Amino acid sequence: MKFSEMTYTRPDIEAVGREIRILTERVKNACSADEQFKAYNDFTGICKKVETMRTIAHIRHTVNTEDEFYDKEKDYFDENTPVMENLVTDFYRAFVSSRFRKELEERLGALLFINAELDLKAFDPAIIPDLQEENRLTSEYVKLMASAQLDFDGKKLNLSQLRPYMESPDRNIRKEAFRKRTEFFAENGDKLDEIFDKLVRVRTAMAKKLGFENYVELGYIRMRRNCYGPVEVKAFKEEVKKHMVPLSLRIEKTRRKMLGLKKATFIDAPLYFRDGNPKPHGTPEEIFEAGEKMYDELSKETSEFFRFMLENELLDCLSRKGKAPGGYMTYIPDHESPFIFANFNGTSGDIDVLTHEAGHALNGYLAKDIEIYEYKQPTLEACEVHSMSMEFFTLPWMKLFFGDETEKYKYMHLASALVFIPYGCAVDEFQHVIYSNPDMRPSERKDAWKRIENEFQPYLDYEDDEFFGKGGRWQAQTHIYSVPFYYIDYCLAQTIALQFRNLMAEDYKAAWEKYLDFSKKAGTMTFIDLLNSSGLRSPFEEGCVKEICEGAEKALKKLNIC
Ligand code: ZN
């Protein structure tokens, strides 16, 4: 069904609440697994219906924020989602404590119960005020970041509009753009410290109320980490330090040479080539046509998928007045339709929409064959495997977008994928330190970041920058404020994507089949089980990071850019 034809009606949350309460009672009083199974089916049916309406309202609001009708609908969901969550939790609590659990696990799989139990551990009505406070604080951070109105190039720019200037081939323009950014952060430094301090406090308070020693454990549970913990993550970070950090030093050295600089500093970090980073050619229409050709040629599945997206108006990528900023991919359950939202701006980021976001969306499309609602989506590191690997699988078609700059694009893409991992590990390490020591003062937090940054990104030189040079870099990383412990996911996923890249170099077709197999299984298994069953190495395994580095470095050399 075309997106414009999907009907929207506001779900009556009170009526929904009554129905869920009745179903919860049915589970509690059931005399057989069969009765409970039926109640469960009715329950997911209701959840899907509400989620379908919420998603349609959300999309229609973001594609036109000036539409008053959907603006009100968005408010309605903002207000009622916590109410709904509470009811859903009650249902699952009854469901996992069923005396017929063994029979239910046989029908539904054990993972559903493991995940539901994790969610239950992370929730108690006593923390509702804390959750509300946490939401308020993260919104305050997002608003503060969005409030930037920087005078630059005769215009008023927000932080993302400043980005192209920070990538300018003219070093003086870069320098000025970075200085503007520093000014904004320095002016708001106290506010940023204050918001974060309150967040650490409220998260620690929640953890204590739920019976945990500190927020680290709760943070892992809230990320639904069901197959690894801090010990495994620490081992992974050690491997990164041993193999990936030295590789990133070599990459940085080459980049400095390519830029013709004696000394490269943080203002040179976004730039790879003296005459500027490669940009896609063509109008948005031409880019979409090229995207269609690319997915037609890649495989039968991608061809069907991309045509389905285009035919059903499930891509909204052009910027226009009233459209919300940013980009996302979402899924409309009852219509089994993924949806991609983006704002094309003429940078290589536009192509990421067609590769990265499409990797997420393809997974949504393939998951239509999975019947159990909870298994349609895996944990987030596995989701990022779908998207980050697709960036590599589509590389053979980049000529359609980058023309004679294709080799440069491939180099930049691979090099930045590699240097990203140590940065992501620093973000994770920092959060471990912060939440294990919740009483640190803001200045101590900055010292901690400086120390960690130096371990993972020893090449960084901040000149005499008064904010970023003093341990403030993490305050520009949204995830640290909004979703703690969600960042290592990107690093773990990137190692799998790079693993696919190595496999591709040997046998593209076989690597693609492996990828399809991984994506088709969606959330039916834990991350580690997904890897094992698809014949992929776990990033926690010793030697895995080393192997990836060796393959990738060979590929960089082969591109022969410098
Ligand atoms: Zn993603």
Side-chain angles (χ1 to χ4, degrees), residues 90-357:
D90 282 346
F91 178 87
Y92 279 116
R93 190 173 289 118
F95 196 59
V96 298
S97 42
S98 157
R99 60 191 165 107
F100 307 108
R101 174 149 163 186
K102 225 176 151 303
E103 285 163 82
L104 290 171
E105 280 190 11
E106 268 160 31
R107 286 175 115 157
L108 292 162
L111 185 59
L112 190 156
F113 293 86
I114 293 168
N115 286 341
E117 274 173 340
L118 279 179
D119 294 350
L120 290 172
K121 269 195 202 170
F123 183 78
D124 186 284
I127 65 162
I128 290 178
D130 299 315
L131 290 169
Q132 285 164 336
E133 165 82 349
E134 186 189 28
N135 280 339
R136 199 187 57 70
L137 289 164
T138 50
S139 305
E140 202 182 330
Y141 172 80
V142 173
K143 261 193 204 142
L144 179 61
M145 286 294 123
S147 73
Q149 283 286 308
L150 314 167
D151 290 306
F152 202 83
D153 194 23
K155 298 171 202 153
K156 287 249 182 256
L157 304 179
N158 62 31
L159 286 169
S160 62
Q161 287 165 326
L162 189 69
R163 183 74 200 175
Y165 296 96
M166 293 166 72
E167 271 183 36
S168 166
D170 182 335
R171 198 166 196 271
N172 290 324
I173 295 177
R174 285 206 300 281
K175 201 177 180 69
E176 271 310 295
F178 270 91
R179 214 176 48 79
K180 261 286 159 219
R181 186 179 72 142
T182 294
E183 253 175 47
F184 173 78
F185 276 89
E187 268 167 31
N188 293 290
D190 289 342
K191 191 79 214 152
L192 287 166
D193 282 338
E194 188 196 315
I195 296 172
F196 191 66
D197 199 61
K198 286 182 180 165
L199 277 168
V200 174
R201 276 172 213 288
V202 76
R203 285 173 183 150
T204 304
M206 270 192 262
K208 295 236 154 98
K209 280 184 199 170
L210 292 167
F212 301 105
E213 195 197 328
N214 58 40
Y215 184 75
V216 179
E217 206 179 332
L218 177 58
Y220 270 64
I221 290 176
R222 286 175 94 191
M223 288 305 298
R224 266 205 186 163
R225 306 252 188 263
N226 51 18
C227 59
Y228 60 90
V231 176
E232 286 82 1
V233 171
K234 194 173 168 22
F236 170 73
K237 286 184 290 197
E238 286 307 317
E239 289 282 287
V240 168
K241 258 192 232 168
K242 216 158 102 193
H243 305 288
M244 208 69 104
V245 171
L247 172 57
S248 67
L249 279 166
R250 293 195 286 280
I251 292 172
E252 284 306 309
K253 202 173 152 196
T254 311
R255 209 172 54 80
R256 181 170 57 76
K257 262 200 233 153
M258 294 196 302
L259 292 176
L261 295 167
K262 273 208 184 70
K263 194 178 101 173
T265 72
F266 77 125
I267 69 163
D268 306 308
L271 199 70
Y272 275 85
F273 303 99
R274 223 183 283 200
D275 51 351
N277 291 341
K279 286 185 187 66
H281 312 313
T283 61
E285 289 73 21
E286 286 164 340
I287 288 179
F288 273 108
E289 260 171 52
E292 202 174 348
K293 182 175 158 55
M294 170 170 84
Y295 283 123
D296 271 345
E297 290 174 6
L298 204 165
S299 75
K300 184 173 99 13
E301 288 83 355
T302 49
S303 173
E304 274 174 25
F305 150 72
F306 203 68
R307 283 163 184 275
F308 175 83
M309 297 293 285
L310 290 173
E311 265 160 38
N312 294 299
E313 307 162 348
L314 300 168
L315 291 141
D316 193 314
C317 298
L318 305 189
S319 282
R320 56 179 178 270
K321 192 176 157 285
K323 193 169 164 178
Y328 61 79
M329 119 80 200
T330 187
Y331 184 75
I332 312 163
D334 278 348
H335 299 287
E336 292 179 331
S337 296
F339 189 96
I340 294 177
F341 173 97
N343 280 284
F344 274 13
N345 66 1
T347 69
S348 65
D350 295 356
I351 305 309
D352 297 342
V353 175
L354 286 187
T355 58
H356 183 103
E357 298 304 333

Side-chain angles (χ1 to χ4, degrees), residues 397-409:
W397 287 270
M398 287 302 113
K399 235 188 163 44
L400 298 173
F401 306 103
F402 293 98
D404 53 10
E405 286 190 306
T406 303
E407 292 299 288
K408 281 182 169 181
Y409 174 76

Side-chain angles (χ1 to χ4, degrees), residues 53 106 137 235 257 260 402 475 503 507 541:
M53 291 309 149
E106 268 160 31
L137 289 164
K257 262 200 233 153
F402 293 98
Q475 295 188 301
L503 293 168
D507 183 344
E541 213 178 284

Side-chain angles (χ1 to χ4, degrees), residues 356 360 384 387 490:
H356 183 103
H360 284 305
E384 290 307 318
S387 54
Y490 293 104

